[in-house]
Amino acid sequence: MDLEVNLGIATSGGHQCIGYWGYGNPGTLAQLLKTSLREIANWELSFQFPDDGVLATISASGLESNADVWVKVSHDSLILGRESFGRVPFYWTQIDQVIWFASRLQLLLPLLPSPQVNLEGLYGYSCFSYIPTPLSPVQGIIALPAGREQLWNIEPSGNLLRTQSHQLLEWQEATAPITDEQEAIAGLQTLLKNAVERQITDIKGETVGVLLSGGLDSSIIAALLVHFGIKVQAYTLDFGDSGIPEYPYAEQVAQHLGIPLVKVDATPKTIRANLIPTIKALDLPFGDGVTVPLFLLHRAANQDTRIIFNGEGGDQLFAGWTNKPLIAASVYQAEHPENNQSFVDHYLQTFHRLWGFEAQIFQSPIYAQIKDINPREWLSRELDQTFTPSLLHRLRRASLMLKGAQNIHPRATNLAFAHGLQVRSPFCDLPLAQWTFSLSGDLFLQGACEKYILKRAVDSWLPTEIVWRQKRGMGVPLTSWCLKEWWHLLGIWLNSGTLEAEGRWQSDLPTRIARGNLGGTIWGRRIGEILWLLIVWQVWRSQVLGEPIENRSWNQPFWIPYPLWKYFQQ
């Protein structure tokens, strides 16, 4: 008796989809699909094979010509694909002879009898603050890497056969680089304008939002939108009295361009109140401190517009400030070949998370299971010298494929979609990105000046202080908040009894981090970043995965006022 391939898909607003393809009882599969839709409103169902073979596409920008993920089907094959910048995440799992796929991890969780944490994914999270693809935080669910297509065929026997995934393109260095600065400036100015122009073809008189930090990249996007006559409203963050204020630079840019600027409250009370909604919107645990502030920016923009622009991708494309330590490490390694630390190890250290501290952070049973995992393998393809022999291009390739495609872009899209927004990132422009690999490395970094050619290209578009000021990351004052306003909350979020019952992190880990006793590299701002990493995981596992919070204990220091606790530590 011949088996018939079944398919079903549900889509919502062009932002989300979940579906299946394979052998199974049609009624049972359709009911499972509907069960997974409990969090989706206004969904549309289809159980028909499409005439053109394209079952679904999702575009972060909302532009039909820019599909970020796609599903192609026939009666004997299934293709899941994802573009190279990684703007929209995509997941799949196999249950019996059926492939289930979805744009959100949470949509697949109801299909699993008892979702379990993937320890390799947890370990990756501890190293990077995001889960490296193709891992996910849940056993049995696979994340499709950016720039890949995954194909399944049906064998003559009737079994599903998963073939090797296909790489769609490589970020590859040109053999004859552009060295002339004036030629590079003229080419870059044209490509930047073209990248923005491609993103505004459907905008007819409406106002768009720009997430404006006052840094170079977001300011360039705002300037080009104004250049093309687009009505722009900008949004920037106000961290209150803590941290390094960035909004004066945003105000300077807004005044220069003549656009209104909305200042969004990101004080610790507001951050706390929006922690859980942010984690649910992100879908995965993203452990960077910028996530809740970005959630607040998107929420504010939702009141005024349906489209937001950002400057995400500029640092990855033009070799931003985080590359300097790696260049120094490469020079040192060349001068001291006897040093045992490899370049990949230096790259791992740039994430400033918990790689190298495994025995000090995980409980013994977990450490025994992860100690033989080599996180260098998660970086090997991205740092492959085959495609980018020179150091600057190798770092740019890795940054695009790791920090961009696995962290920055998917979280930006998830936050936008959670607020019903289309998100447009003009630096994620394929002609622009590929052209940058034709430039000589000297044009990216001259002396201590990073992103040199980008600054030269836009020098006349923005105030000199904005273009040439030294780059800093977003100044989220996590350490100050954790040791002051959130001190007592740490006793709830990172309760020692709960951590002990969870069985993953050592129960006294938060206390050791707060003391600055975990290691020589974790002090100052890193204390808050690591505590936040743990907070996000704890909220994610309870609010998304649905694990219980058990065995809260009073045997910890966070009930004592921080100044008094600190006094007794002396």
Side-chain angles (χ1 to χ4, degrees):
M1 176 179 174
D2 292 334
L3 296 174
E4 183 176 350
V5 173
N6 295 290
L7 72 76
I9 191 163
T11 58
S12 175
H15 288 173
Q16 307 295 344
C17 77
I18 177 175
Y20 60 83
W21 175 90
Y23 294 128
N25 181 282
T28 301
L29 293 174
Q31 186 57 46
L32 281 173
L33 178 61
K34 293 174 183 178
T35 300
S36 296
L37 298 174
R38 59 191 181 194
E39 294 186 4
I40 293 186
N42 302 319
W43 42 267
E44 297 180 4
L45 283 168
S46 174
F47 301 96
Q48 303 296 320
F49 282 87
D51 293 335
D52 62 356
V54 179
L55 185 63
T57 62
I58 296 177
S59 169
S61 67
L63 297 169
E64 292 183 4
S65 58
N66 292 352
D68 294 314
V69 298
W70 53 90
V71 182
K72 300 177 182 179
V73 296
S74 70
H75 288 277
D76 57 9
S77 69
L78 167 70
I79 297 175
L80 305 180
R82 199 168 164 227
E83 55 76 39
S84 296
F85 292 103
R87 285 177 292 237
V88 176
F90 216 54
Y91 309 93
W92 64 270
T93 188
Q94 181 168 350
I95 301 175
D96 298 325
Q97 290 293 297
V98 178
I99 303 299
W100 289 84
F101 49 85
S103 57
R104 284 179 67 80
L105 181 89
Q106 292 175 64
L107 292 172
L108 295 177
L109 292 181
L111 303 173
L112 305 180
S114 178
Q116 300 295 315
V117 166
N118 176 4
L119 292 183
E120 191 174 2
L122 170 62
Y123 180 35
Y125 175 77
S126 76
C127 293
F128 303 125
S129 82
Y130 62 84
I131 313 269
T133 58
L135 301 174
S136 88
V138 179
Q139 291 181 18
I141 296 180
I142 311 299
L144 183 67
R148 298 273 185 92
E149 278 192 336
Q150 179 65 61
L151 170 67
W152 287 265
N153 290 118
I154 295 178
E155 295 179 305
S157 62
N159 292 322
L160 301 187
L161 175 65
R162 175 188 169 195
T163 64
Q164 187 172 0
S165 62
H166 168 65
Q167 189 71 26
L168 298 174
L169 69 81
E170 294 287 0
W171 302 119
Q172 190 161 354
E173 183 176 349
T175 55
I178 297 170
T179 57
D180 182 81
E181 187 172 309
Q182 293 305 315
E183 178 187 353
I185 289 171
L188 180 52
Q189 288 175 336
T190 298
L191 284 162
L192 287 170
K193 291 176 182 177
N194 290 345
V196 170
E197 201 165 18
R198 275 188 280 271
Q199 299 279 311
I200 59 176
T201 55
D202 64 331
I203 298 173
K204 310 296 181 184
E206 66 181 296
T207 298
V208 304
V210 174
L211 307 187
L212 185 64
S213 67
L216 179 62
D217 302 330
S218 60
S219 300
I220 290 172
I221 302 307
L224 284 171
L225 288 169
V226 171
H227 167 78
F228 284 112
I230 302 298
K231 296 178 183 178
V232 174
Q233 177 145 303
Y235 301 85
T236 196
L237 291 164
D238 180 5
F239 291 112
D241 297 330
S242 302
I244 303 170
E246 292 287 313
Y247 64 79
Y249 298 107
E251 288 177 332
Q252 185 179 356
V253 173
Q255 185 176 7
H256 176 80
L257 298 176
I259 59 177
L261 178 67
V262 175
K263 195 182 295 185
V264 178
D265 173 67
T267 50
K269 182 179 179 181
T270 306
I271 298 292
R272 170 194 171 185
N274 288 277
L275 174 59
I276 291 175
T278 300
I279 301 302
K280 290 182 176 180
L282 287 169
D283 197 37
L284 293 187
F286 288 99
D288 284 347
V290 301
T291 52
V292 183
L294 289 174
F295 177 91
L296 298 172
L297 285 175
H298 288 86
R299 187 178 67 182
N302 169 259
Q303 305 302 308
D304 308 309
T305 184
R306 68 180 181 92
I307 300 172
I308 55 165
F309 285 77
N310 61 40
E312 301 288 25
D315 278 339
Q316 291 75 51
L317 211 53
F318 291 97
W321 61 285
T322 56
N323 290 287
K324 291 180 181 178
L326 288 164
I327 294 169
S330 180
V331 172
Y332 180 84
Q333 188 177 22
E335 295 293 327
H336 301 275
E338 73 282 359
N339 189 287
N340 292 327
Q341 194 168 38
S342 70
F343 180 76
V344 177
D345 290 346
H346 285 294
Y347 197 93
L348 276 165
Q349 289 175 334
T350 66
F351 290 91
H352 301 293
R353 294 306 188 265
L354 293 169
W355 174 72
F357 294 95
E358 292 83 356
Q360 298 170 254
I361 64 173
F362 291 115
Q363 293 188 28
S364 296
I366 300 297
Y367 177 66
Q369 295 179 68
I370 62 95
K371 64 183 178 65
D372 293 326
I373 297 172
N374 184 1
R376 298 169 187 84
E377 295 178 357
W378 297 325
L379 311 177
S380 59
R381 192 172 187 284
E382 290 77 6
L383 289 168
D384 189 344
Q385 297 184 59
T386 304
F387 303 103
T388 47
S390 65
L391 179 61
L392 252 298
H393 286 301
R394 185 159 34 120
L395 293 174
R396 293 176 55 246
R397 170 187 163 90
S399 193
L400 282 164
M401 297 174 72
L402 295 167
K403 297 174 183 178
Q406 300 188 40
N407 184 18
I408 292 170
H409 297 308
R411 79 185 183 205
T413 299
N414 282 348
L415 291 174
F417 281 0
H419 292 93
L421 295 167
Q422 298 171 6
V423 56
R424 303 187 180 179
S425 307
F427 284 110
C428 294
D429 180 79
L430 192 56
L432 171 63
Q434 290 181 312
W435 177 85
T436 62
F437 282 91
S438 69
L439 296 176
S440 167
D442 294 340
L443 294 175
F444 292 100
L445 182 66
Q446 292 213 350
C449 180
E450 78 281 352
K451 299 166 79 168
Y452 173 76
I453 194 61
L454 181 62
K455 293 176 179 180
R456 288 282 285 114
V458 304
D459 193 21
S460 62
W461 299 357
L462 293 162
T464 299
E465 183 183 3
I466 298 299
V467 174
W468 295 99
R469 75 182 178 101
Q470 188 174 358
K471 169 72 178 182
R472 289 193 299 249
M474 186 183 289
V476 184
L478 291 171
T479 298
S480 173
W481 291 347
C482 284
L483 301 184
K484 294 179 182 177
E485 290 91 344
W486 293 346
W487 179 252
H488 294 308
L489 288 170
L490 294 181
I492 299 173
W493 291 332
L494 302 178
N495 187 276
S496 60
T498 300
L499 294 179
E500 184 67 32
E502 179 191 356
R504 298 181 184 115
W505 312 102
Q506 294 181 18
S507 61
D508 65 340
L509 177 59
T511 304
R512 285 185 283 128
I513 294 170
R515 284 196 191 111
N517 290 347
L518 187 59
T521 61
I522 298 178
W523 61 281
R525 62 178 289 189
R526 305 301 178 202
I527 289 176
E529 289 172 353
I530 301 303
L531 288 172
W532 181 258
L533 182 86
L534 299 178
I535 291 167
V536 168
W537 175 264
Q538 292 304 110
V539 175
W540 178 86
R541 77 173 186 90
S542 65
Q543 297 295 320
V544 176
L545 193 59
E547 290 188 344
I549 300 297
E550 300 175 328
N551 293 2
R552 281 188 173 156
S553 169
W554 289 89
N555 184 23
Q556 56 181 8
F558 301 114
W559 312 128
I560 305 170
Y562 174 72
L564 183 61
W565 177 77
K566 187 177 180 181
Y567 173 80
F568 284 121
Q569 299 303 306
Q570 297 175 356

